[in-house]
Amino acid sequence: MTQLALVIDLNVCVGCHACVTSCKEWNTSGWAGPLTDYNPYESSPRGTFFNRVQTFEVGTFPNAETIHFPKSCLHCEEPPCVPVCPTGASYKRPDNGVVLVDYEKCIGCKYCSWACPYGARELDEQQKVMKKCTLCIDRISDETLPERDRKPACVLACPTNARLFGDIHDPDSEVSVAIRERGGYQLMPEWGTKPANHYLPRRRTQFHIRPDELTRVDNPWRKEDITPYTGEETIDDMAWVGS
Amino acid sequence: MHPALSVILLTTAIGAGQGLFLAMITGQLYAIAHFLPVQEGQFYAFGSLLALAFLLAGLGASFFHLGHPERAWRAIAMWRTSWLSREVIVLPLVMALAFVYGVAHAFSWTRPLFQIGDALQVDLTLLLGISGTVATLALFVCTAMIYAAVRFLQEWHTPLTVSNFLFLGTASGFMLAAAYSAYLGNPLVTFYGTWAVILTAIGSISRFMHLRRNDRLKPKSTLQTAIGIRHTQIVQKAQGATGGSFNTREFFHGRDQRLVQVSRYVYLTLILPIPVLLIGLSYVITSPRLPIVAFCLQFLGLMIERWAFFAEARHPQNLYYQSVS
């Protein structure tokens, strides 16, 4: 059985929010949209997002690290949001494991959002139905697109390639290899929801500094304080030529 | 969690309605067993119609909770897995039984259908009463299990949630039955009042144990398990939005933590000591009004109790939404 998922590499996520904006752009105008925004240019803007990047500071200054943490629906293998839905609007696709909401059936009772420990579901204020990441289901299952474009918008937009997409049940897929070889883990494993999305941990990086690099060495080509400048044409002057 | 007025009204109103319906049936059973004088059919009829009014009020309030109330009929689909679906099925069933039970008494459809043993003559009202009792108890379980079944909300995930809903709801219904009898000048007010006091005491003990349990609760999820980073010092700096969101509105009660603490003393007082004193006093001075006041104050207490029930539940998703910036 296929279980599509995202694998997010925290080691390279720089918190640029490109995944957030591309997700919003693609989905607000597509099958799952609109993802309404209220007061976008005022003091308390609010709106519906499928994907948010949160920022945590780990450790205490000066030994602190900033972790940018993108989070969307994790497409759990045991999704707690599905059995609680009274109308059957919340369902897990049997063919690829994507958890979806049927907006025509949703009554907006919010029970699924209570049952999700990750806060991945958001009630759309305008449509009054529950919305969540669809893994860009309209895009990944569109056979008319070229193979390389059949990926979620966030994955295609990520400039640092921090997001991988694939089938975690296929042991040879890019995501399975990444999980296996780089210690991919799940969020809140204590609840037994078995999230399909995994995270790759940050890796310890060694930064070697040689002692002689700690003291400033003057530019051997240009002694700053004693340059004998006598009015002849220099490279600095060349830059102004023609202006 | 954010306490929604619609859900507070739903659970307290149907609790009182169910309790009153049970009180009517209990009164009839006691009368059959000759522990109490037999009442006229009108007494049970108006009582169960009053119960129906409370159930209808609760149902009406529940519609305000839905984004699409016009699709509410769809909610019966997933009865195999969803307690909410089960509640949506059982609530109209209880309402129908309360209605038919009242009608059967109003029109005195009490001709015995068959006889068990030497003395017990089974008529339509008795059959409806027994089915009504089963359905009402099932509804208490369904309503409470909607909350108790969410295992991430550790404050709710306990059998004490079910016993609170059951006993506090029944207590409020018997208190309502006492108020109803007092209003009519019916001697059953002592019977219902005494049961109301007993059930209130059991409900209060259950709620007290629930509070004690929750005070000692250790959250299963921490920031460490939430983002999978093993470090003791983690502080959230931003949540990806400069304003609020569904997540910040739905899962935070938005009030001072002290208010939740104070509300505990307020509702515990309003639920137990005050109504008990008023009921006791009404016996002494045979007042027709004090039981009504007792019911109203206890109902107010139960609404505050339900508010606190929501406010004290800490959803693990809040770990991801600790500061708006």
Side-chain angles (χ1 to χ4, degrees), chain A residues 20-39:
Chain A
V20 178
T21 46
S22 65
C23 163
K24 181 97 167 178
E25 191 279 327
W26 175 264
N27 287 298
T28 200
S29 49
W31 172 81
L35 306 182
T36 39
D37 282 321
Y38 283 85
N39 307 323

Side-chain angles (χ1 to χ4, degrees), chain A residues 20-170:
Chain A
V20 178
T21 46
S22 65
C23 163
K24 181 97 167 178
E25 191 279 327
W26 175 264
N27 287 298
T28 200
S29 49
W31 172 81
L35 306 182
T36 39
D37 282 321
Y38 283 85
N39 307 323
Y41 303 109
E42 285 159 44
S43 59
S44 67
R46 58 188 203 275
T48 311
F49 287 81
F50 286 173
N51 179 25
R52 292 176 190 268
V53 179
Q54 299 165 339
T55 302
F56 295 89
E57 190 177 86
V58 176
T60 37
F61 182 82
N63 299 314
E65 257 189 277
T66 302
I67 311 280
H68 298 294
F69 186 84
K71 180 171 67 66
S72 52
C73 170
L74 305 163
H75 299 281
C76 299
E77 301 204 41
E78 301 287 342
C81 52
V82 170
V84 301
C85 175
T87 65
S90 191
Y91 65 104
K92 188 170 174 71
R93 264 181 62 151
D95 58 336
N96 57 17
V98 178
V99 177
L100 293 170
V101 180
D102 183 339
Y103 304 134
E104 299 297 312
K105 282 188 187 168
C106 177
I107 57 172
C109 70
K110 307 178 193 166
Y111 195 21
C112 57
S113 73
W114 295 3
C116 170
Y118 306 103
R121 293 172 161 255
E122 300 189 14
L123 190 86
D124 190 273
E125 272 188 84
Q126 185 183 305
Q127 283 193 309
K128 307 278 184 202
V129 292
M130 198 50 77
K131 299 213 167 164
K132 60 177 278 302
C133 161
T134 66
L135 267 183
C136 289
I137 190 74
D138 48 344
R139 184 166 184 147
I140 59 176
S141 56
D142 186 350
E143 308 257 315
T144 61
L145 287 175
E147 181 78 46
R148 63 190 175 125
D149 284 342
R150 279 182 236 157
K151 285 183 176 180
C154 59
V155 174
L156 294 170
C158 181
T160 61
N161 208 13
R163 302 173 82 97
L164 311 175
F165 169 70
D167 175 14
I168 57 161
H169 283 182
D170 172 6

Side-chain angles (χ1 to χ4, degrees), chain A residues 205-224:
Chain A
T205 42
Q206 294 287 327
F207 190 59
H208 295 287
I209 303 174
R210 293 198 303 274
D212 61 309
E213 287 175 332
L214 286 171
T215 46
R216 179 172 174 145
V217 179
D218 285 335
N219 184 349
W221 302 106
R222 191 167 179 271
K223 289 281 184 190
E224 284 140 332

